[in-house]
């Protein structure tokens, strides 16, 4: 019999893994749209089509299911960002990354915000395990931004004295703040403006570096 390993270390049959995935996917979709607090286990049962015994076979309760949803969204978001940022080494590349995020969110009129940010706002105060998992995901996302900015610096586009870690923190803050503003306004424009302001600061540092080099020459 073919088995796979669940995130909690338990061995699952192929059928069991599919059932677990169906539960997590249904819960993720509900929590993304309705919010964690408004999503009940009965909602998840109805959406996934599994029995109560199947749900409790895989998850001890709602907190465990929420943590699985965090992992589910985290895997999706981080893989998307790896694909988008992994080889970016120019400001134009950062602009294309910005355009893709804004365009994707505009399809929903900014209604749902960032999946990870929305989860963080709901669970961080009462589930420390979920909070730590989300913190690790945000750290990994920010490291991808730091990598882009370091490549810009190594390529001479940014001055060597610039703290790229701090720039990445500012860019992540602009992104997450933009998601929140777009979510509350039901309009993607604040998100676009927020990221644009952060990128404009990076571009000003690059332009100043070019001017400084030209004066020296």
């Amino acid at each position: 019999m073919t088995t796979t390993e669940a995130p909690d270390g338990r061995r699952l049959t192929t059928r069991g893994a599919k059932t677990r995935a169906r539960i997590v996917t249904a819960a993720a979709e509900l929590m993304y749209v309705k919010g964690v607090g408004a999503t009940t286990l009965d909602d998840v049962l109805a959406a996934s089509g599994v029995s109560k015994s199947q749900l409790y076979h895989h998850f001890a309760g709602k907190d465990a299911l929420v943590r699985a949803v965090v992992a589910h969204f985290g895997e999706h978001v981080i893989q998307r960002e790896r694909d988008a940022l992994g080889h970016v080494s120019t400001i134009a590349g950062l602009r294309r990354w910005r355009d893709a995020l804004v365009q994707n969110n505009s399809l929903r009129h900014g209604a749902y915000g960032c999946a990870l940010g929305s989860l963080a706002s709901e669970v961080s105060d009462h589930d420390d395990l979920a909070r730590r998992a989300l913190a690790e995901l945000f750290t990994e996302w920010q490291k991808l931004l730091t990598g882009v900015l370091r490549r810009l610096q190594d390529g001479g586009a940014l001055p060597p004295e610039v703290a790229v870690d701090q720039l990445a923190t500012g860019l992540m803050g602009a992104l997450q703040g933009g998601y929140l503003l777009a979510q509350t306004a039901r309009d993607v424009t604040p998100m676009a403006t927020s990221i644009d302001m952060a990128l404009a600061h990076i571009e000003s540092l690059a332009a100043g570096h070019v001017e400084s080099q030209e004066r020296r020459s």
Side-chain angles (χ1 to χ4, degrees):
M1 180 182 295
T2 303
T3 62
T4 59
E5 186 172 321
D8 60 7
R10 291 187 304 152
R11 302 300 300 180
L12 298 175
T13 64
T14 300
R15 178 180 293 179
K18 289 180 178 179
T19 299
R20 185 185 188 280
R22 190 159 74 249
I23 295 168
V24 173
T25 299
E29 291 174 353
L30 286 166
M31 291 177 187
Y32 187 43
V33 175
K34 296 177 62 176
V36 173
T39 298
T40 67
L41 291 181
D42 284 340
D43 292 333
V44 177
L45 289 172
S48 63
V50 305
S51 67
K52 185 173 290 189
S53 62
Q54 285 176 310
L55 188 150
Y56 280 104
H57 174 73
H58 292 284
F59 302 101
K62 185 175 178 180
D63 284 348
L65 180 55
V66 169
R67 291 165 197 156
V69 168
V70 169
H72 170 84
F73 277 125
E75 181 179 2
H76 170 75
V77 170
I78 295 303
Q79 187 57 57
R80 181 196 71 199
E81 294 302 292
R82 284 193 191 117
D83 293 342
L85 295 169
H87 301 289
V88 173
S89 58
T90 64
I91 292 177
L94 272 177
R95 282 283 176 193
R96 287 191 291 272
W97 164 78
R98 170 266 188 211
D99 291 346
L101 286 177
V102 171
Q103 176 63 26
N104 185 58
N105 212 29
S106 72
L107 298 176
R108 296 186 296 270
H109 305 291
Y112 306 129
C114 172
L116 298 184
S118 297
L119 285 168
S121 69
E122 290 204 66
V123 307
S124 292
D125 287 340
H126 65 266
D127 188 337
D128 195 57
L129 288 176
R131 180 196 62 78
R132 281 185 281 170
L134 285 160
E136 289 174 3
L137 290 166
F138 280 118
T139 296
E140 188 169 355
W141 193 346
Q142 189 168 314
K143 283 180 179 177
L144 292 170
L145 292 172
T146 301
V148 173
L149 296 169
R150 185 160 287 122
R151 288 191 290 275
L152 283 169
Q153 193 173 56
D154 291 343
L158 288 174
E161 67 273 12
V162 165
V164 292
D165 289 339
Q166 293 180 7
L167 275 184
T169 299
L171 184 52
M172 176 60 81
L175 171 61
Q176 290 303 318
Y179 266 124
L180 179 60
L181 292 173
Q183 183 178 16
T184 54
R186 293 295 192 266
D187 181 0
V188 80
T189 304
M191 176 186 179
T193 301
S194 182
I195 304 172
D196 283 343
M197 293 296 289
L199 292 181
H201 176 59
I202 294 169
E203 288 169 335
S204 71
L205 291 172
H209 185 48
V210 170
E211 291 174 4
S212 176
Q213 289 178 315
E214 288 176 347
R215 284 196 299 271
R216 289 195 186 100
S217 62

